[in-house]
Amino acid sequence: MQLFIDSGDLDEIREAQAMGAIDGVTTNPSLLAKGGRPTRQAIAAICEIVDGPVSAEVLAIDCEGILREGRELAKIHPNVVVKVPLIAEGLKAVKIFASEGIHTNVTLCFSAPQALLVAKAGATYISPFVGRIDDAGGDGMELVQQIVEIYRNYDFDTQVLTASVRSPVHFTRAALIGSHVATVPFAVIKQLLKHPLTDIGLAKFLEDAKKIPQG
Ligand code: G3P
């Protein structure tokens, strides 16, 4: 499973990239607002840090506007993936982007039939928001399971990008289900790495090493 970082913060993207585990980046307007840089500038800087797909979201909600913004975003760098909202106008734009060779990530997916329509439109990625489904009392990972199964049944090329990941449990379940990608905030990436027995074991090794005779 590929691991993307879900972030608009250049420092944390740099740090995660240095760990060697990052295959790409997803951003959204909320994350870029926190980063405090204009979108084009932020996306260009991210593309310099990570050599992989970088999702940049359009703000338009009509097909013409989405196409206009998406084509501009795609010019920033060949790795840019245009992030499009899951609405009818968005799917019309996705179909045209696919014919132009522009990669797309359809965002804000909350149901299996939505995901089926997105694949038919020719999207590169579908982003089910698992944490937000859990927040609303549902089971976000059950949706990922359904989408992966439906896409396999019909050999769709669209990749499942598990988003709104809030915990290592989401990440592990995404990998077991066969999600192609999980996009994970930096705080959760750090949790993926942590295990108390690793820390206890390392402390003991370092302590015992002091008893090894020098020479
Ligand atoms: O990139 C979109 C998604 O991952 C948002 O996550 O935590 O705001 O639901 P969250």
Side-chain angles (χ1 to χ4, degrees):
M1 182 171 70
Q2 291 202 313
L3 170 60
F4 290 0
I5 182 168
D6 197 25
S7 176
D9 181 319
L10 298 184
D11 290 335
E12 60 184 32
I13 293 171
R14 244 180 241 111
E15 203 176 327
Q17 168 66 12
M19 283 163 45
I22 301 302
D23 301 295
V25 182
T26 52
T27 65
N28 62 37
S30 312
L31 293 170
L32 290 176
K34 280 190 218 158
R37 285 177 176 229
T39 298
R40 291 184 61 85
Q41 211 185 82
I43 297 298
I46 293 170
C47 289
E48 290 308 309
I49 301 169
V50 178
D51 183 20
V54 174
S55 289
E57 190 157 339
V58 297
L59 299 177
I61 52 171
D62 63 296
C63 179
E64 278 312 309
I66 293 171
L67 289 171
R68 200 169 36 248
E69 266 188 62
R71 287 173 184 142
E72 283 305 310
L73 290 169
K75 278 187 208 155
I76 298 173
H77 192 281
N79 285 344
V80 167
V81 174
V82 178
K83 204 167 174 187
V84 177
L86 205 165
I87 53 177
E89 292 294 295
L91 294 199
K92 288 183 205 168
V94 164
K95 189 169 185 302
I96 296 167
F97 283 138
S99 72
E100 295 175 356
I102 292 178
H103 291 159
T104 51
N105 173 2
V106 178
T107 187
L108 293 165
C109 174
F110 294 96
S111 80
Q114 283 183 322
L116 185 49
L117 294 182
V118 167
K120 287 170 91 67
T124 315
Y125 299 101
I126 178 71
S127 288
F129 273 30
V130 298
R132 293 193 194 183
I133 293 174
D134 293 357
D135 291 345
D139 179 356
M141 294 314 303
E142 189 187 344
L143 174 60
V144 174
Q145 172 86 61
Q146 289 173 349
I147 300 172
V148 166
E149 196 172 325
I150 290 169
Y151 283 9
R152 277 196 193 132
N153 286 346
Y154 300 103
D155 279 334
F156 283 119
D157 291 330
T158 303
Q159 296 193 37
V160 181
L161 193 167
T162 300
S164 184
V165 166
R166 305 275 175 77
S167 70
V169 174
H170 280 149
F171 182 77
T172 306
R173 287 185 63 194
L176 287 169
I177 288 167
S179 179
H180 302 85
V181 188
T183 189
V184 181
F186 189 49
V188 179
I189 291 177
K190 286 191 281 188
Q191 287 176 13
L192 300 179
L193 194 64
K194 277 300 226 188
H195 195 286
L197 292 179
T198 304
D199 296 339
I200 292 167
L202 178 60
K204 173 90 172 100
F205 285 154
L206 293 177
E207 195 49 41
D208 289 346
K210 291 180 190 156
K211 299 171 201 157
I212 300 173
Q214 302 298 304

